[in-house]
Amino acid sequence: MDAHIQHKGIMTGKVDMKVVMLGQMACGKTSLVERFMHNHFSSNYQTTIGAAFGARIMDVAGKKVCIGLWDTAGSERYEAMGRIYYRDAMAAVVCYDITQPDTLARAKFWVTELNKNEENCKLYLCGTKLDLVEKDKEARRVDFQDVTDYGKEVGAKVIETSSKTGENVEELFAQIVQDFAESNAAIMASLKDSFPLTEDDKPRRKCC
Amino acid sequence: MAERSVVVGETSVAPTDIEGVISDELKDDTPGVSGEVMLVNTDSFDECNHDLDTQKVTTEEGEADEVVGEPQSPIRKVQREQDNDLVGNMGDMTVEDVVCKVEADNVPVIPQHNNDDDEDEDDVDEEYLQSVDWLQKEKHIFILSESGKPIYTRYGKEDRLVTLFGLMQALVSFVADSDDVIRCIVSGDHKFVFLVKSPLILVAVSHSMASIPQLFMQLTYVHNQIISVLTASALTRMFEKRRNYDFRHLLGGTERLLDNLLNMLDYHPSFLLGGVQCLPLATSIRETITQTIIQYCSKIKNLVFGLIICQNQLISLVRMKKFLLHPADLHLLFNLVNATESLKTSENWMPICLPKFDPNGYLYGHVSYLADDCEACLLLLSVDREQFFTLSEAKQKIVDRLRRHHCLEGINTAIRSSAYTVKAVGAPELRHFLYKSKTTAQFTCPQFTPPYDSDEEQRRVFGLYQLLHHRVHSAARPLKMIYLVMDTHTLLGWVTKDFELYAALEPLVTKQNAIVYINKLLRWIKNDENRLFILSSPTF
């Protein structure tokens, strides 16, 4: 079966690439999404209920790729729903807070779960709140090297970001679409060419 | 505070007196009456209160069966009838999944409170109990598990009130030992009201004007809010498996909903009246909006309710033919949207349990604001949890059509300008009123104007409405009409089979004038009823 048609399942809609955000409550998933989607940061914390969906088009390898991003709730009562969000995802950004070691344990839980259920889903371990550590070295409670070692073991790339300053956020998603483009030549071939000279490069909220 | 002590000349007018005069003139022109019902209506407060408490499947035909086990579940009913392969067993899965998965002991740690500031575990309770500020709060709400574990406190941190929670649990179990249930304790100004709903205990401690039945109703709402997040069956099963379970794990993030609900309960008349306020809107605009929802949603299987709301007011509601929406469920939806600022920036997909619709299963809600330039929020509630993109597409079409027909502007204009003041009625000595149409479970009221321009005055008049409401609905001696003359207000409460009216008038108004004004008010509402109420009941 054509992979392109297959991955456009009922919970992926018209997007080219489904990406899911997972991780413990309050570890910064929504902030990361907000920085990526709207280039905005809010210090007011609000728990996500259920999940929020957003889409943005990114240019990669001369093509336009529409990323559909599922920002899931971290609260464990939604755990059972997790599956419907990560099913058929091409990439998962599993977040942990580098100042809270227990959030890494939760991230590992999601990594195991994904490796078990979604072979085709690429994993990205994302350490959040990098700005806190830059302010105060003592605040770091999760060692980058330890996570990288773990990442190698389970086949996940590791990156540390700050949604507050925006550091590494674009890089993270650029990496994700780059990897997607490299391993999904068939899909890429079917996508519209991008015309960088005439397109505005503002993030778009909706593409479908 | 004068009113509370000095109830001057509480004249008990023989009900027939005024009622005769008014209803003669009014005949059957009662405002806001409609045979087409979209919300579950309850005749009296007691009934409503009882109704809040018990689960019924209320269908359009009016058959109300007590739910006995699962086969009656409306969610399952929809799924069966829609006969859709995709849905399959989604309904049951959810609830069990929640329980089993959490049982699987990956119990993650909730973000810890800073432990630094409570080294002295023994002293911490004392700290609150000695804080005048804490003690003097008008209404405390506590939630604990049957085993006495703290779950929620409205003020302060629940884990610093362990002994107080222990005491509450002791009171409950002491009374339970003699096969009885504790309902309330009254001490001076303070009322301590208990709602024991296994596996939870809810307690209100209040010195506000709210009566004991009203506090009971408020606790029921709080309980419903918890059910709405977890479902009743998940809650029960969780507790059966682990009596000592710390529910805060599951409720993480719900505090905001509870806080917001409790604030609304303190000032919003919709809970007291058991009704819903509609955004006043020209019939033509509302009709277009409703038709648009029907046009793009009627072919979507499994969609149970589609509604547009803003600022705690209903703009339009379309329902699956067999089902009515209970106002109490609608209040929870209002609360959800009201309390969740973040819904504004994205399209959301969330499980929502409507306790009056089906306490044991989730509906899945596509929740999003209509547009960046329109404050109204669209909710599409389905029993199929894989339907996000179908609904997302429908939403886009709905918004496009509403924009073409200038309905978004219509809504915006209504949001800015449709609230009216009591001046519009043209009854000079009438200060404020609440009017509820009982058949449609909807109410209308003007904006507060002087003398009710401060928060304190608004709270006071709300307290007076609570008092009127309590007197009218007193279980021991229900009244048809009450006319109270106080030193700063004259109050009138009047209940008929079709409506409930509560009015605040100038203290020196004569009885005769009061009658004239009330008549005028009823005529005014009648004239505007199509704008103020939704008198039709559209279905998919």
Side-chain angles (χ1 to χ4, degrees), chain B residues 6-48:
Chain B
V6 199
V7 180
V8 196
E10 180 180 323
T11 28
S12 317
V13 186
T16 41
D17 229 28
I18 298 184
E19 204 179 359
V21 185
I22 309 186
S23 42
D24 269 359
E25 280 187 33
L26 204 68
K27 301 215 173 77
D28 31 7
D29 275 349
T30 318
V33 175
S34 171
E36 291 194 45
V37 176
M38 60 179 180
L39 298 171
V40 177
N41 52 20
T42 40
D43 191 46
S44 72
F45 176 65
D46 293 328
E47 192 185 314
C48 178

Side-chain angles (χ1 to χ4, degrees), chain A residues 56-197:
Chain A
R56 183 180 150 185
I57 293 178
M58 288 188 81
D59 291 332
V60 61
K63 299 281 186 177
K64 292 204 159 307
V65 180
C66 179
I67 302 181
L69 194 57
W70 280 101
D71 175 21
T72 66
S75 168
E76 65 186 87
R77 71 169 173 275
Y78 296 115
E79 199 174 294
M81 280 191 79
R83 171 129 183 76
I84 73 163
Y85 300 121
Y86 67 66
R87 185 192 302 150
D88 301 328
M90 309 298 277
V93 180
V94 181
C95 298
Y96 62 94
D97 176 348
I98 58 176
T99 67
Q100 301 279 346
D102 49 302
T103 61
L104 183 63
R106 186 69 178 157
K108 288 181 176 173
F109 159 79
W110 283 117
V111 168
T112 315
E113 175 105 356
L114 286 163
N115 271 337
K116 204 165 59 192
N117 299 317
E118 296 289 324
E119 296 178 352
N120 296 323
C121 179
K122 291 214 161 54
L123 298 178
Y124 300 84
L125 275 161
C126 175
T128 58
K129 311 192 187 175
L130 190 56
D131 52 288
L132 294 180
V133 176
E134 276 160 6
K135 243 186 288 169
D136 169 20
K137 292 261 180 292
E138 298 290 296
R140 179 184 282 277
R141 303 284 302 281
V142 180
D143 183 59
F144 183 68
Q145 207 51 51
D146 289 354
V147 184
T148 323
D149 292 346
Y150 170 73
K152 277 192 190 125
E153 222 173 276
V154 294
K157 291 192 175 165
V158 184
I159 191 167
E160 290 187 336
T161 61
S162 162
S163 306
K164 192 169 180 178
T165 63
E167 189 175 348
N168 276 345
V169 174
E170 277 301 313
E171 287 80 352
L172 164 67
F173 288 95
Q175 179 75 58
I176 292 174
V177 280
Q178 188 65 42
D179 293 350
F180 171 78
E182 281 166 17
S183 50
N184 293 278
I187 298 174
M188 290 303 289
S190 69
L191 296 178
K192 263 197 220 147
D193 290 332
S194 62
F195 300 100
L197 289 177

Side-chain angles (χ1 to χ4, degrees), chain B residues 88-189:
Chain B
N89 51 359
M90 292 307 169
D92 354 79
M93 247 175 72
T94 332
V95 170
E96 278 166 31
D97 278 4
V98 173
V99 177
C100 305
K101 289 251 184 137
V102 178
E103 278 309 299
D105 252 36
N106 277 302
V107 180
V109 199
I110 268 201
Q112 296 294 322
H113 300 296
N114 273 340
N115 286 334
D116 314 341
D117 52 1
D118 45 33
E119 305 112 3
D120 285 9
E121 286 287 331
D122 296 341
D123 291 343
V124 287
D125 276 24
E126 308 280 301
E127 209 178 284
Y128 279 128
L129 296 179
Q130 280 163 11
S131 146
V132 179
D133 185 45
W134 191 85
L135 289 172
Q136 284 186 341
K137 296 284 185 199
E138 196 173 56
K139 187 176 77 196
H140 281 279
I141 299 284
F142 305 100
I143 307 174
L144 55 151
S145 74
E146 259 178 347
S147 58
K149 279 223 169 206
I151 297 173
Y152 171 84
T153 170
R154 187 180 185 189
Y155 301 109
K157 284 214 184 334
E158 64 283 344
D159 43 7
R160 294 175 62 180
L161 288 164
V162 178
T163 43
L164 195 62
F165 279 108
L167 176 65
M168 293 180 219
Q169 196 262 342
L171 284 169
V172 170
S173 56
F174 177 75
V175 176
D177 276 348
S178 40
D179 282 333
D180 211 337
V181 182
I182 187 168
R183 299 274 290 197
C184 64
I185 302 170
V186 179
S187 161
D189 269 353

